[in-house]
Amino acid sequence: MKAGYLFISVILCALISCNSKNKNANASVAETEEQPVASVNLLGSFVGDFGDNKITLLITSATKDSVAGRSVVGGNDRPFTGTLQRSTDAFTISAKEPGDDKNDGIFDFTINTKTPDEVKGNWKPNNPSTHLVSKDYILRRRAFLYLQDVGNYPEGSKRLLTDEDVDNRSRVELETMRNEIFARHGYCFKKKSLRENFEDKDWYIPNTVDVKKDLTDIEKKNIVLIKKYEKYADDFGDDFGR
């Protein structure tokens, strides 16, 4: 009888040991599958030239086989979703914007595990019949930071302006002073002349198309004052040789 119990005990121990090994083996496989995403930080913002504009590509979530995020360029802030594949030394991502905007398209890009702070890829429009053309791009990881000390008129964000600060300035100067406030918050401009003015500045990173909630009380008051003088410059500038 004891021999029978001993035999059953041995069999049970072997089964438990086998199940334990299988669980550990399965856990190792799962950890290995997840490890590529965990070992390289895919999340973040990547900034660089995109045709004639500057673009920010933000990856906000990444799983084993999918990504999601936003593209901010040319006055547009568009969501995207797509697939993620891992090869020996790189992640390959294909991400599509919704398609309900004429400027939407598909981002195909790679992130090399040896250079995880760089994105290389191509964008093509969702609708090939549009006037839009495909674009190649190389973007580099850059986090947006709100800085008060940048630009030609940093006082617009640092302190309340006085009439003396804005009087006798041209409309162009006033427009630049006012829009620098928005640019410091990462506002992505639709107006081409403003994009051209700010996108060549190293400190400028397009990050959003709505900065209303981000403006400080000082900045809000300064914007009102500057706009008043902009209108004055428009109405009476010629009379005073501006």
Side-chain angles (χ1 to χ4, degrees):
M1 191 71 171
K2 289 182 179 179
Y5 281 126
L6 181 60
F7 176 76
I8 293 172
S9 297
V10 170
I11 294 299
L12 287 173
C13 287
L15 289 172
I16 292 170
S17 176
C18 183
N19 287 336
S20 177
K21 288 179 181 178
N22 286 337
K23 287 179 180 178
N24 289 336
N26 290 335
S28 297
V29 170
E31 289 167 4
T32 300
E33 289 176 348
E34 295 292 344
Q35 186 61 26
V37 175
S39 63
V40 174
N41 181 21
L42 299 179
L43 306 186
S45 59
F46 299 84
V47 183
D49 292 334
F50 188 73
D52 295 331
N53 298 319
K54 181 181 282 189
I55 190 173
T56 298
L57 199 67
L58 299 102
I59 302 177
T60 56
S61 69
T63 67
K64 186 172 62 176
D65 55 11
S66 66
V67 296
R70 298 160 42 223
S71 64
V72 183
V73 60
N76 296 304
D77 186 337
R78 303 296 293 160
F80 63 72
T81 57
T83 59
L84 182 153
Q85 294 181 325
R86 168 70 192 261
S87 64
T88 304
D89 56 2
F91 294 91
T92 300
I93 294 170
S94 182
K96 186 175 184 178
E97 294 168 314
D100 54 354
D101 185 283
K102 64 180 182 180
N103 296 306
D104 283 356
I106 302 170
F107 292 92
D108 292 314
F109 58 92
T110 59
I111 300 177
N112 193 293
T113 55
K114 294 181 181 179
T115 54
D117 293 334
E118 183 178 81
V119 162
K120 292 183 179 181
N122 171 268
W123 176 90
K124 56 181 177 293
N126 277 338
N127 184 357
S129 64
T130 66
H131 67 286
L132 301 172
V133 297
S134 63
K135 298 177 178 69
D136 296 323
Y137 51 86
I138 299 176
L139 313 178
R140 289 177 175 80
R141 188 186 298 274
R142 285 189 65 188
F144 168 77
L145 293 173
Y146 167 64
L147 303 172
Q148 287 187 331
D149 293 326
V150 296
N152 295 325
Y153 310 98
E155 61 270 22
S157 292
K158 297 177 68 174
R159 61 171 175 81
L160 285 174
L161 298 176
T162 65
D163 290 334
E164 288 73 23
D165 290 315
V166 293
D167 194 17
N168 291 321
R169 291 189 182 274
S170 69
R171 185 194 62 79
V172 173
E173 286 180 293
L174 292 169
E175 182 183 52
T176 301
M177 180 185 287
R178 176 171 58 84
N179 282 287
E180 264 193 4
I181 295 173
F182 300 120
R184 280 188 276 272
H185 287 281
Y187 183 75
C188 187
F189 297 94
K190 277 191 175 294
K191 190 173 180 180
K192 184 178 180 180
S193 63
L194 291 173
R195 292 203 307 271
E196 291 175 344
N197 185 46
F198 292 112
E199 288 185 349
D200 66 345
K201 306 295 190 295
D202 183 64
W203 56 265
Y204 174 70
I205 295 178
N207 189 64
T208 181
V209 294
D210 184 4
V211 297
K212 291 179 182 178
K213 65 182 183 303
D214 301 318
L215 297 172
T216 67
D217 289 338
I218 286 177
E219 289 172 329
K220 290 175 183 177
K221 291 177 181 178
N222 286 342
I223 289 168
V224 172
L225 178 65
I226 295 169
K227 286 187 74 173
K228 183 177 76 172
Y229 274 84
E230 275 186 88
K231 185 177 186 307
Y232 176 82
D234 281 338
D235 291 344
F236 304 106
D238 290 341
D239 294 338
F240 291 90
R242 293 185 182 132

